[in-house]
Amino acid sequence: MEYIWLVIIGLIANVLGTLAGGGGLISLPAMLVMGIPVHSAIGANKVSNTVSSLSSFIVIYKYKEVTVKEAMIMMPLCLGGGIAGGLVASVLTESTMTIIAVLLLSFALLTSFLGSSDFNGNRPLVVNKKNGVTLFGIGLYDGVFGPGSGTLMMYVLSHLGISYIRAVGLARIAIFSSCFGASITYIATGKIMWAVTIALLIGSVSGAQIGVHLARKLKKEYVKPLLRIVTVALLIQIIVSNI
């Protein structure tokens, strides 16, 4: 029965995660409530997100809404960040990462109200020194902790003038890269509970496929409200779980 619940958790989390990020809002707390050790829960999320994110990116790529060139721009930065994050996880305390998460998400929420970008643009993805550091930083955060990284990535892509469906595809390849990097370190350090991980992975891949098809139908005027709702929910969940 535990494994059936993990499949359901993975499915629901990845539908939300694909549309607006924040899948970890559902999956990580649920796994901890089930009594799964924190490092094993995070590791299971990383491995399952690696596969599910790649599967949803492939669907968007098939419709020619993102290019391999754009994906290759994102991958090295986020992969490096994910590997670094997996290593940093053994150094930083959970309370420190909680503070970082709250600050980053609060800043993203604030800029969503102040900024004019709302996924209307259709600019090519251009990475310079400033946003390159930002992408690496999100990858690092994803490797260490995770919940909120997809949402932060969507905010960044919005401000870079990327349209919504392209932002979903690029965010998915970014999450694939950072989670792949982090997965290497979690596997190497023996933190993975494979039965738990595979059950979560089955649900995650299914949820990602549902989410990417819903994303293609979602009207752009609903995107920012959805992102803000997910951001507020993430903030509440992170703060309450650490009181």
Side-chain angles (χ1 to χ4, degrees):
M1 181 61 73
E2 176 185 81
Y3 298 120
I4 293 174
W5 279 113
L6 285 168
V7 172
I8 295 170
I9 289 166
L11 189 150
I12 295 172
N14 273 268
V15 170
L16 176 64
T18 301
L19 291 172
L25 166 72
I26 298 169
S27 58
L28 188 56
M31 294 174 76
L32 295 178
V33 168
M34 293 172 70
I36 297 169
V38 62
H39 283 90
S40 296
I42 294 174
N45 268 299
K46 298 309 162 193
V47 173
S48 63
N49 282 340
T50 298
V51 180
S52 62
S53 295
L54 181 60
S55 72
S56 55
F57 169 79
I58 289 171
V59 172
I60 294 176
Y61 172 73
K62 183 178 72 173
Y63 287 102
K64 302 185 184 304
E65 287 158 330
V66 290
T67 65
V68 171
K69 181 180 178 180
E70 289 177 313
M72 294 304 293
I73 292 173
M74 300 283 287
M75 286 179 68
L77 292 166
C78 297
L79 176 62
I83 293 172
L87 296 173
V88 170
S90 61
V91 179
L92 292 181
T93 64
E94 187 175 344
S95 60
T96 300
M97 286 311 301
T98 299
I99 293 171
I100 293 172
V102 170
L103 291 175
L104 287 173
L105 288 166
S106 297
F107 177 75
L109 181 64
L110 177 63
T111 55
S112 79
F113 285 100
L114 297 178
S116 59
S117 180
D118 56 0
F119 297 101
N120 273 326
N122 196 26
R123 299 177 190 170
L125 177 65
V126 177
V127 175
N128 55 35
K129 184 175 181 180
K130 181 180 178 181
N131 56 41
V133 171
T134 302
L135 294 174
F136 179 87
I138 294 175
L140 188 149
Y141 168 71
D142 191 33
V144 176
F145 189 60
S149 54
T151 306
L152 289 167
M153 190 65 68
M154 292 293 285
Y155 280 119
V156 170
L157 293 169
S158 171
H159 284 283
L160 291 178
I162 306 296
S163 64
Y164 174 62
I165 192 63
R166 289 179 60 231
V168 170
L170 292 171
R172 291 301 91 198
I173 202 65
I175 298 302
F176 159 76
S177 303
S178 58
C179 285
F180 179 73
S183 294
I184 294 172
T185 61
Y186 279 95
I187 293 170
T189 53
K191 302 296 185 182
I192 301 297
M193 297 170 65
W194 284 108
V196 168
T197 301
I198 291 171
L200 188 71
L201 190 153
I202 292 169
S204 297
V205 171
S206 302
Q209 292 301 300
I210 295 170
V212 76
H213 285 95
L214 289 175
R216 300 190 75 248
K217 300 177 185 299
L218 189 66
K219 294 181 179 179
K220 64 183 180 182
E221 57 263 30
Y222 298 143
V223 176
K224 274 216 167 176
L226 178 60
L227 274 172
R228 288 167 181 161
I229 290 168
V230 170
T231 304
V232 171
L234 278 163
L235 284 166
I236 292 172
Q237 186 271 323
I238 292 171
I239 293 169
V240 169
S241 64
N242 286 274
I243 292 178

